[in-house]
Protein backbone atom coordinates (compact mmCIF):
# COMPACT_ATOMS: atom_id res chain seq x y z
CA UNK A 1 0.00 0.00 0.00
CA UNK A 2 1.08 3.58 -0.62
CA UNK A 3 1.97 5.18 2.74
CA UNK A 4 3.18 8.73 3.09
CA UNK A 5 6.39 9.77 4.85
CA UNK A 6 4.86 9.70 8.34
CA UNK A 7 3.43 6.22 7.79
CA UNK A 8 6.72 4.86 6.47
CA UNK A 9 8.62 6.37 9.42
CA UNK A 10 6.22 4.85 11.97
CA UNK A 11 6.46 1.50 10.20
CA UNK A 12 10.28 1.47 10.41
CA UNK A 13 10.23 2.56 14.06
CA UNK A 14 7.79 -0.20 14.99
CA UNK A 15 9.78 -2.88 13.17
CA UNK A 16 13.02 -1.91 14.96
CA UNK A 17 11.25 -1.50 18.30
CA UNK A 18 9.65 -4.94 18.11
CA UNK A 19 12.88 -6.64 17.09
CA UNK A 20 14.59 -5.26 20.20
CA UNK A 21 11.49 -6.03 22.26
CA UNK A 22 11.51 -9.64 21.04
CA UNK A 23 15.18 -10.06 21.96
CA UNK A 24 14.52 -8.79 25.50
CA UNK A 25 11.47 -11.03 25.87
CA UNK A 26 13.34 -14.06 24.54
CA UNK A 27 16.23 -13.49 26.98
CA UNK A 28 13.87 -13.10 29.94
CA UNK A 29 11.79 -16.14 28.98
CA UNK A 30 14.86 -18.29 28.32
CA UNK A 31 16.48 -17.41 31.64
CA UNK A 32 13.22 -17.94 33.50
CA UNK A 33 12.61 -21.34 31.94
CA UNK A 34 16.20 -22.36 32.64
CA UNK A 35 15.84 -21.46 36.30
CA UNK A 36 12.40 -23.11 36.45
CA UNK A 37 13.26 -26.47 34.88
CA UNK A 38 16.95 -26.84 35.64
CA UNK A 39 17.71 -29.96 37.65
CA UNK A 40 19.53 -27.80 40.20
CA UNK A 41 16.69 -25.33 40.84
CA UNK A 42 13.54 -27.33 40.10
CA UNK A 43 13.12 -28.31 43.73
CA UNK A 44 12.75 -24.66 44.77
CA UNK A 45 9.22 -24.65 43.39
CA UNK A 46 7.99 -27.04 46.03
CA UNK A 47 6.23 -25.45 48.99
CA UNK A 48 9.14 -23.91 50.84
CA UNK A 49 8.92 -20.52 52.53
CA UNK A 50 12.72 -20.13 52.38
CA UNK A 51 12.65 -19.90 48.58
CA UNK A 52 9.38 -18.00 48.18
CA UNK A 53 11.06 -14.87 46.80
CA UNK A 54 12.98 -16.97 44.27
CA UNK A 55 9.83 -18.73 43.07
CA UNK A 56 7.93 -15.47 42.68
CA UNK A 57 10.84 -13.81 40.88
CA UNK A 58 11.26 -16.65 38.38
CA UNK A 59 7.51 -16.88 37.76
CA UNK A 60 7.34 -13.14 37.04
CA UNK A 61 10.35 -13.47 34.74
CA UNK A 62 8.69 -16.25 32.71
CA UNK A 63 5.30 -14.53 32.50
CA UNK A 64 6.75 -11.14 31.57
CA UNK A 65 9.07 -12.66 28.96
CA UNK A 66 6.19 -14.54 27.33
CA UNK A 67 3.99 -11.43 27.24
CA UNK A 68 6.78 -9.33 25.73
CA UNK A 69 7.37 -11.95 23.03
CA UNK A 70 3.65 -12.06 22.24
CA UNK A 71 3.49 -8.27 21.97
CA UNK A 72 6.53 -8.21 19.68
CA UNK A 73 5.03 -10.87 17.38
CA UNK A 74 1.79 -8.92 16.93
CA UNK A 75 3.67 -5.66 16.47
CA UNK A 76 6.09 -6.98 13.85
CA UNK A 77 3.36 -8.82 11.95
CA UNK A 78 1.09 -5.79 11.93
CA UNK A 79 3.84 -3.38 10.86
CA UNK A 80 5.41 -5.58 8.18
CA UNK A 81 2.09 -6.67 6.62
CA UNK A 82 0.25 -3.40 7.33
CA UNK A 83 -2.46 -5.35 9.13
CA UNK A 84 -4.75 -3.11 11.19
CA UNK A 85 -6.16 -6.00 13.26
CA UNK A 86 -2.72 -7.09 14.44
CA UNK A 87 -1.79 -3.48 15.16
CA UNK A 88 -4.95 -3.11 17.23
CA UNK A 89 -4.05 -6.15 19.36
CA UNK A 90 -0.50 -4.85 19.65
CA UNK A 91 -1.74 -1.46 20.82
CA UNK A 92 -4.03 -3.01 23.47
CA UNK A 93 -1.26 -5.21 24.88
CA UNK A 94 1.20 -2.31 24.80
CA UNK A 95 -1.25 -0.09 26.69
CA UNK A 96 -1.62 -2.79 29.36
CA UNK A 97 2.16 -3.11 29.71
CA UNK A 98 2.56 0.66 29.97
CA UNK A 99 -0.10 0.77 32.69
CA UNK A 100 1.65 -2.02 34.60
CA UNK A 101 4.98 -0.19 34.32
CA UNK A 102 3.45 2.97 35.75
CA UNK A 103 1.75 1.00 38.54
CA UNK A 104 4.97 -0.83 39.38
CA UNK A 105 6.88 2.45 39.51
CA UNK A 106 4.37 4.06 41.85
CA UNK A 107 4.30 0.94 44.05
CA UNK A 108 8.10 0.81 44.19
CA UNK A 109 8.13 4.45 45.26
CA UNK A 110 5.42 4.16 47.91
CA UNK A 111 6.64 0.82 49.33
CA UNK A 112 10.33 1.26 48.61
CA UNK A 113 11.52 -0.27 51.90
CA UNK A 114 9.42 -3.42 51.46
CA UNK A 115 10.39 -3.83 47.79
CA UNK A 116 14.07 -3.45 48.67
CA UNK A 117 13.87 -6.05 51.42
CA UNK A 118 12.09 -8.58 49.21
CA UNK A 119 14.61 -8.08 46.40
CA UNK A 120 17.48 -8.45 48.88
CA UNK A 121 15.96 -11.74 50.10
CA UNK A 122 15.68 -12.88 46.49
CA UNK A 123 19.38 -12.13 45.99
CA UNK A 124 20.36 -14.02 49.16
CA UNK A 125 18.38 -17.06 47.98
CA UNK A 126 20.08 -17.01 44.57
CA UNK A 127 23.48 -16.52 46.23
CA UNK A 128 23.01 -19.47 48.60
CA UNK A 129 21.83 -21.80 45.86
CA UNK A 130 24.65 -20.73 43.55
CA UNK A 131 27.23 -21.52 46.23
CA UNK A 132 25.56 -24.88 46.83
CA UNK A 133 24.75 -25.92 43.24
CA UNK A 134 26.77 -23.76 40.84
CA UNK A 135 24.02 -23.83 38.20
CA UNK A 136 24.79 -21.78 35.02
CA UNK A 137 21.39 -20.10 35.20
CA UNK A 138 22.19 -18.88 38.71
CA UNK A 139 25.57 -17.69 37.46
CA UNK A 140 23.86 -15.48 34.87
CA UNK A 141 21.41 -14.17 37.46
CA UNK A 142 24.17 -13.25 39.92
CA UNK A 143 26.23 -11.61 37.17
CA UNK A 144 23.22 -9.47 36.23
CA UNK A 145 22.88 -8.34 39.85
CA UNK A 146 26.57 -7.62 40.31
CA UNK A 147 27.03 -5.70 37.06
CA UNK A 148 23.65 -3.98 36.86
CA UNK A 149 24.00 -0.30 36.02
CA UNK A 150 21.56 1.82 34.03
CA UNK A 151 23.33 5.11 34.66
CA UNK A 152 25.59 6.49 37.36
CA UNK A 153 22.78 7.39 39.77
CA UNK A 154 21.05 3.98 39.66
CA UNK A 155 23.33 0.98 39.70
CA UNK A 156 24.19 -1.86 42.02
CA UNK A 157 27.90 -2.53 41.30
CA UNK A 158 28.27 -4.88 44.24
CA UNK A 159 29.50 -8.37 45.02
CA UNK A 160 28.30 -11.20 47.22
CA UNK A 161 27.52 -10.93 50.91
CA UNK A 162 30.83 -9.40 52.00
CA UNK A 163 31.97 -7.44 48.94
CA UNK A 164 34.63 -8.07 46.30
CA UNK A 165 36.64 -10.17 48.74
CA UNK A 166 33.89 -12.81 48.73
CA UNK A 167 35.74 -15.85 47.29
CA UNK A 168 32.59 -17.86 46.62
CA UNK A 169 31.17 -15.61 43.89
CA UNK A 170 34.23 -13.63 42.84
CA UNK A 171 34.08 -14.72 39.18
CA UNK A 172 30.60 -13.20 38.84
CA UNK A 173 31.61 -9.86 40.36
CA UNK A 174 32.41 -6.73 38.31
CA UNK A 175 35.99 -5.99 37.38
CA UNK A 176 37.57 -3.64 39.90
CA UNK A 177 40.91 -2.04 40.55
CA UNK A 178 43.14 -2.91 43.46
CA UNK A 179 41.80 -0.22 45.79
CA UNK A 180 38.15 -0.73 44.80
CA UNK A 181 38.48 -4.40 45.72
CA UNK A 182 38.50 -3.39 49.39
CA UNK A 183 35.62 -0.90 49.09
CA UNK A 184 33.13 -2.72 46.84
CA UNK A 185 30.02 -3.22 49.02
CA UNK A 186 27.86 -6.29 49.64
CA UNK A 187 24.78 -6.63 47.45
CA UNK A 188 21.94 -7.00 50.03
CA UNK A 189 22.90 -3.71 51.67
CA UNK A 190 23.21 -1.94 48.31
CA UNK A 191 19.81 -3.20 47.16
CA UNK A 192 18.00 -2.03 50.32
CA UNK A 193 19.77 1.35 50.31
CA UNK A 194 19.03 1.84 46.62
CA UNK A 195 15.26 1.55 47.07
CA UNK A 196 15.25 3.61 50.27
CA UNK A 197 17.50 6.50 49.24
CA UNK A 198 16.82 6.67 45.50
CA UNK A 199 13.15 5.75 45.32
CA UNK A 200 12.28 8.71 43.02
CA UNK A 201 14.97 7.67 40.54
CA UNK A 202 13.74 4.08 40.61
CA UNK A 203 10.22 5.31 39.88
CA UNK A 204 11.63 7.49 37.11
CA UNK A 205 13.20 4.40 35.54
CA UNK A 206 9.83 2.67 35.45
CA UNK A 207 8.10 5.77 34.11
CA UNK A 208 10.78 6.19 31.44
CA UNK A 209 10.16 2.64 30.26
CA UNK A 210 6.42 3.34 30.20
CA UNK A 211 7.06 6.50 28.14
CA UNK A 212 8.94 4.42 25.57
CA UNK A 213 6.01 2.01 25.35
CA UNK A 214 3.58 4.91 24.96
CA UNK A 215 5.73 6.31 22.13
CA UNK A 216 5.48 2.95 20.33
CA UNK A 217 1.73 3.00 21.00
CA UNK A 218 1.42 6.41 19.31
CA UNK A 219 3.40 5.16 16.30
CA UNK A 220 1.11 2.15 16.06
CA UNK A 221 -1.99 4.37 16.09
CA UNK A 222 -0.57 6.67 13.41
CA UNK A 223 0.39 3.73 11.21
CA UNK A 224 -3.08 2.22 11.58
CA UNK A 225 -4.68 5.51 10.49
CA UNK A 226 -2.36 5.78 7.51
CA UNK A 227 -3.23 2.24 6.44
CA UNK A 228 -6.94 3.04 6.69
CA UNK A 229 -6.46 6.24 4.67
CA UNK A 230 -4.52 4.44 1.93
CA UNK A 231 -7.20 1.75 1.71
CA UNK A 232 -10.10 4.22 1.45
CA UNK A 233 -8.51 6.67 -1.02
CA UNK A 234 -9.47 6.21 -4.72
CA UNK A 235 -6.87 4.77 -7.06
CA UNK A 236 -4.90 7.28 -9.15
CA UNK A 237 -5.96 5.64 -12.40
CA UNK A 238 -9.23 4.63 -14.14
CA UNK A 239 -9.89 1.14 -15.40
CA UNK A 240 -11.30 1.02 -18.89
CA UNK A 241 -13.90 -1.61 -19.69
CA UNK A 242 -15.15 -2.92 -22.99
CA UNK A 243 -18.72 -3.04 -21.70
CA UNK A 244 -21.11 -0.52 -23.23
CA UNK A 245 -23.28 1.28 -20.68
CA UNK A 246 -26.79 2.06 -21.85
CA UNK A 247 -29.23 4.54 -20.36
CA UNK A 248 -32.80 3.37 -19.71
CA UNK A 249 -35.49 4.56 -22.16
CA UNK A 250 -32.89 5.42 -24.74
CA UNK A 251 -33.36 4.30 -28.28
CA UNK A 252 -30.66 2.00 -29.52
CA UNK A 253 -28.18 3.47 -31.91
CA UNK A 254 -28.28 1.80 -35.32
CA UNK A 255 -25.28 2.11 -37.55
CA UNK A 256 -25.99 1.80 -41.30
CA UNK A 257 -23.61 -0.46 -43.17
CA UNK A 258 -20.96 1.24 -45.21
CA UNK A 259 -21.06 0.57 -48.97
CA UNK A 260 -18.34 -1.66 -50.18
CA UNK A 261 -17.05 -1.11 -53.69
CA UNK A 262 -15.46 -4.09 -55.28
CA UNK A 263 -13.42 -3.12 -58.36
CA UNK A 264 -13.98 -5.32 -61.36
CA UNK A 265 -11.07 -5.88 -63.64
CA UNK A 266 -11.59 -4.82 -67.24
CA UNK A 267 -11.95 -7.60 -69.67
CA UNK A 268 -8.97 -8.00 -71.88
Amino acid sequence: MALDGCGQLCKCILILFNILFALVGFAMLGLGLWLRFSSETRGFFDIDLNTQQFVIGVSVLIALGAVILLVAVFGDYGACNENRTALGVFSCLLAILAGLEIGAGVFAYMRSDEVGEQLAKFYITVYAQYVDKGDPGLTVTLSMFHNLGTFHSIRLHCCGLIGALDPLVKRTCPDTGFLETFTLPACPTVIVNLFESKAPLVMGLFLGTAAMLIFALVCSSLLSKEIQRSQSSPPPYILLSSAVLSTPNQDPVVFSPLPVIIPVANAL
Side-chain angles (χ1 to χ4, degrees), residues 11 14-15 18 74-83 87 223:
K11 180 177 180 179
L14 284 180
I15 291 175
N18 284 291
F74 276 106
D76 260 336
Y77 177 79
C80 292
N81 295 277
E82 299 180 9
N83 188 299
L87 287 176
L223 179 59

Side-chain angles (χ1 to χ4, degrees), residues 184-225:
L184 194 66
C187 282
T189 304
V190 172
I191 293 172
V192 173
N193 291 337
L194 175 66
F195 279 89
E196 289 181 352
S197 62
K198 299 180 180 179
L201 291 177
V202 173
M203 183 178 67
L205 179 62
F206 281 98
L207 295 182
T209 305
M212 182 182 64
L213 298 180
I214 293 174
F215 175 74
L217 179 61
V218 172
C219 286
S220 175
S221 300
L222 291 176
L223 179 59
S224 181
K225 290 182 179 179

Side-chain angles (χ1 to χ4, degrees), residues 238-246:
I238 300 175
L239 294 176
L240 298 178
S241 176
S242 59
V244 179
L245 299 178
S246 60

